[in-house]
Amino acid sequence: MTFEPGARLDPGQVRDRRGRGGALAVGGGIGGIVLVAIFLLLGGNPSDLPAEVLSGQTVGTGQENDLSEECRTGADANLRDDCRIVGYVNSIQEYWSGAVDGYSPALTTFFTQGVNTGCGAASSAVG
């Protein structure tokens, strides 16, 4: 899947905690499964999934993260895997916001190594 080069991305829907700890992860939960399923249904190639595990929870303040400068347009999404995931997340959130009354957007978190989850500590091998 390629993105329209001039399309605007919203990196505020994704936290970048790679190299840091402290993120809450869904792990193999329904949120993670839904995101991966939608990614695949949108034509995503499983081998394109980054090694980092994606995580979802209620959207917070939309604070700036490391992606705010690098992931601004569809052209960025066509060049970088992490920006491509930002584009997927934006598309998924927009779809579900229109399809389900009262939908609460899920914040996606990039992380490496390990995180604290609702079930305890987990390595980046969870998913």
Side-chain angles (χ1 to χ4, degrees):
M1 171 179 185
T2 57
F3 288 87
E4 183 67 36
R8 302 296 304 160
L9 300 180
D10 179 6
Q13 294 181 346
V14 178
R15 283 187 302 187
D16 189 356
R17 299 231 172 153
R18 293 174 285 188
R20 294 177 249 168
L24 258 179
V26 171
I30 191 73
I33 293 169
V34 169
L35 284 176
V36 170
I38 292 171
F39 169 77
L40 296 173
L41 289 172
L42 290 173
N45 183 339
S47 66
D48 289 340
L49 288 172
E52 295 80 28
V53 179
L54 300 180
S55 147
Q57 62 177 243
T58 304
V59 171
T61 63
Q63 66 192 46
E64 287 201 356
N65 55 37
D66 297 336
L67 301 173
S68 63
E69 294 298 319
E70 291 88 2
C71 302
R72 293 182 174 203
T73 68
D76 298 328
N78 292 333
L79 294 174
R80 294 177 50 142
D81 289 340
D82 52 359
C83 295
R84 181 174 293 118
I85 297 298
V86 170
Y88 291 150
V89 169
N90 291 170
S91 296
I92 291 164
Q93 301 295 8
E94 183 178 344
Y95 172 80
W96 286 109
S97 292
V100 176
D101 288 334
Y103 173 75
S104 179
L107 181 63
T108 298
T109 304
F110 292 150
F111 67 91
T112 55
Q113 297 176 6
V115 296
N116 293 321
T117 72
C119 299
S123 75
S124 60
V126 301

